[in-house]
Amino acid sequence: MTPKKIVYLDQNKWVELLKAEKNGADSPALAAAIALREAVDSGIAVVPLSAAHYLETWHRSNWESRHALARLMRAISQFSTLAPIQRVQRWEIDIALTEYLGFEVGRENPKPVRGQVLGRGVDHAFASLTGRLRLVSNVAKEGVPEGEELDPEPKLLGLLEQLRALPGDVYEWWSLAGNENDSMIHADWETRGQHRIGDSYAEQERQLSNHLTTNKNKKQKLDDLIAAQELAEISEHIHEATEEFRIGTLNVYGRLVEMGGPEAVKEFLLAMPSAAVKYEARRLKHRNSQWPWQQHDQIDLAALSVALPYADIVVTERQWTHLLKVAKLDRRFGTRVISRLGELPGLLTA
């Protein structure tokens, strides 16, 4: 049996499909919407959502606008979802420890990541028992940082379990779209936190770009710097893996030093598909001053870092399409990366 093609659409492509269906006029986007619906109905393709789609859809404060987009997403995705980058990176680290660094992990070969990435529902998309809900002691406000993350209380877990048991995917729909007549603006409930975090992320990247612009000699070390940042980003997952396999975190870093230091770090990152995408996309974007860092780049990168290695077709913004092709990641993973929806019908039937 031929496996279904996994097709990933950026949030802006979902919006483009919705506009085309509302307009009704013959267009490449409308043809793509029709082709996607037919491919899903015939079992040719699956079009999963990512955590990014839930976060971006909840950013629409107008419930009617949010529901219109969510209805399209529900119809085409059928609530299939991709695992989040933090879960995928943890799986990939297990493999990289054995295949690249040569450690014995005390068990047979780790389970292939590809078979675990695709799932169903918001809990899978966020790798969380509470779906898209993230609990903290206090919501961040101006001058006040976000409080510590809290474990969910049994009462909340029980309530969510009751919601999951309701017919008609009530829990899944609420997770994606919220309720009618609900602006999703509630006291002590932040529904747009990813935008605040994204602004902070973009500002950090802008500062790095400005630093490189004013210190031309340091641009030669850009790749090393970004590799070090990305290694630090996954250090917690590395620690978890080394604790589980009783390897010792210092042994991992020690081996990287023995194998070549900065070059070995880069090769270690490239050995993990999601880390490779994020590393390559960041370093190439920093080399192109024509593409400034934006608020949504963080969430885009997190989603694309999973979609590109494990989907068959990725439809994303022009800049990401260009950068991913420059890095030849599309060839490495055998993924068709496009920016125009008009190309999609032909790829679905190829």
Side-chain angles (χ1 to χ4, degrees):
M1 183 177 180
T2 304
K4 295 180 180 181
K5 292 181 179 179
I6 301 176
V7 182
Y8 181 82
L9 307 176
D10 264 358
Q11 180 79 357
N12 66 333
K13 300 304 176 183
W14 282 104
V15 174
E16 194 175 336
L17 291 176
L18 177 64
K19 289 179 179 178
E21 289 198 339
K22 280 186 173 182
N23 183 278
D26 188 25
S27 68
L30 181 59
I34 294 171
L36 277 173
R37 288 179 180 270
E38 291 177 348
V40 169
D41 291 343
S42 62
I44 293 175
V46 58
V47 188
L49 303 176
S50 69
H53 294 115
Y54 289 87
L55 295 172
E56 292 288 352
T57 301
W58 270 44
H59 183 63
R60 293 181 165 228
S61 58
N62 181 283
W63 75 267
E64 291 174 311
S65 170
R66 189 171 63 247
H67 277 216
L69 181 60
R71 280 193 295 271
L72 176 65
M73 289 177 160
R74 175 179 62 185
I76 294 179
S77 75
Q78 299 178 1
F79 293 122
S80 59
T81 53
L82 294 178
I85 186 172
Q86 67 268 20
R87 177 60 59 88
V88 173
Q89 285 177 338
R90 179 63 177 80
W91 295 331
E92 291 175 348
I93 286 169
D94 289 1
I95 297 173
L97 287 175
T98 58
E99 294 187 359
Y100 179 71
L101 293 181
F103 285 104
E104 295 290 337
V105 299
R107 70 181 187 196
E108 295 184 5
N109 293 333
K111 189 175 180 180
V113 176
R114 182 170 293 275
Q116 305 177 78
V117 168
L118 189 64
R120 188 177 193 275
V122 66
D123 292 353
H124 181 77
F126 286 85
S128 171
L129 295 174
T130 57
R132 60 148 293 129
L133 299 180
R134 184 168 167 272
L135 310 175
V136 294
S137 58
N138 62 272
V139 173
K141 298 178 182 178
E142 187 173 351
V144 180
E146 181 177 273
E148 62 178 343
E149 191 163 357
L150 304 175
D151 292 327
E153 296 182 359
K155 186 176 180 179
L156 174 61
L157 293 176
L159 176 60
L160 292 176
E161 194 60 38
Q162 292 176 35
L163 286 174
R164 292 187 192 97
L166 293 175
D169 279 324
V170 169
Y171 171 69
E172 297 299 340
W173 172 254
W174 175 81
S175 297
L176 180 62
N179 300 318
E180 292 186 7
N181 299 310
D182 185 350
S183 65
M184 295 181 124
I185 298 175
H186 308 287
D188 299 322
W189 186 359
E190 184 179 54
T191 61
R192 298 171 185 83
Q194 82 281 2
H195 283 249
R196 171 178 52 78
I197 295 169
D199 282 336
S200 174
Y201 173 85
E203 182 56 33
Q204 290 175 7
E205 295 288 34
R206 291 184 201 116
Q207 289 176 7
L208 175 57
S209 291
N210 292 338
H211 179 69
L212 294 171
T213 300
T214 55
N215 296 271
K216 300 289 186 181
N217 60 321
K218 294 188 176 180
K219 204 158 190 175
Q220 300 176 22
K221 296 292 184 180
L222 172 64
D223 294 358
D224 291 347
L225 173 60
I226 291 180
Q229 289 178 335
E230 293 301 317
L231 184 65
E233 186 76 18
I234 62 172
S235 61
E236 184 176 340
H237 300 311
I238 293 173
H239 179 71
E240 289 177 1
T242 56
E243 286 289 299
E244 179 181 347
F245 303 132
R246 299 181 180 178
I247 294 173
T249 305
L250 291 179
N251 289 330
V252 171
Y253 296 127
R255 187 161 298 186
L256 286 171
V257 171
E258 292 171 1
M259 294 172 67
E263 290 304 314
V265 169
K266 284 181 270 191
E267 291 299 322
F268 180 56
L269 292 171
L270 293 174
M272 296 175 283
S274 67
V277 173
K278 194 159 174 278
Y279 164 71
E280 292 282 23
R282 282 190 66 217
R283 76 176 187 86
L284 288 173
K285 181 158 182 171
H286 273 294
R287 290 187 181 279
N288 192 331
S289 58
Q290 295 180 347
W291 284 328
W293 289 89
Q294 305 291 339
Q295 173 272 322
H296 56 80
D297 286 340
Q298 181 186 35
I299 197 170
D300 283 352
L301 271 178
L304 288 171
S305 295
V306 175
L308 185 70
Y310 300 109
D312 299 288
I313 302 170
V314 171
V315 193
T316 184
E317 295 178 14
R318 185 181 302 173
Q319 68 156 313
W320 294 127
T321 300
H322 174 74
L323 293 178
L324 296 173
K325 287 184 175 181
V326 168
K328 298 181 180 179
L329 292 170
D330 57 331
R331 296 184 189 180
R332 173 182 170 181
F333 300 119
T335 306
R336 295 299 301 270
V337 184
I338 60 176
S339 60
R340 294 180 295 183
L341 283 169
E343 299 178 47
L344 193 52
L347 294 178
L348 289 171
T349 57

